[in-house]
Amino acid sequence: MGESLLDRLKRAREEAGLNQESLAKLAGVTQSAYRSAESGKTKKGRICRKLPRRWVPALTG
């Protein structure tokens, strides 16, 4: 089985050298909302839809 969307999101963020707060700002959400999505506690789709399009290749991997 391949890498999950959550795993790809975290890996892409780390490879870009961003912390959760920075990526949350890019997505236009709070750090708390982003942290919850990355940890799987809330739906990640809303966060992913708000990310800049340049992140799409990293997430669809």
Side-chain angles (χ1 to χ4, degrees), residues 3 8 11 55-61:
E3 196 175 30
R8 290 192 306 266
R11 180 177 44 81
W55 282 78
V56 172
L59 298 178
T60 58

Side-chain angles (χ1 to χ4, degrees), residues 11-26:
R11 180 177 44 81
R13 175 182 61 76
E14 290 173 343
E15 287 177 357
L18 297 172
N19 60 26
Q20 289 181 342
E21 180 179 14
S22 298
L23 192 55
K25 285 180 183 179
L26 286 173

Side-chain angles (χ1 to χ4, degrees), residues 35-58:
R35 182 177 48 248
S36 292
E38 191 177 273
S39 68
K41 292 180 183 174
T42 60
K43 294 188 178 195
K44 61 215 165 273
R46 181 174 65 99
I47 303 292
C48 292
R49 284 191 301 273
K50 292 184 172 196
L51 289 171
R53 293 204 184 275
R54 69 175 183 255
W55 282 78
V56 172

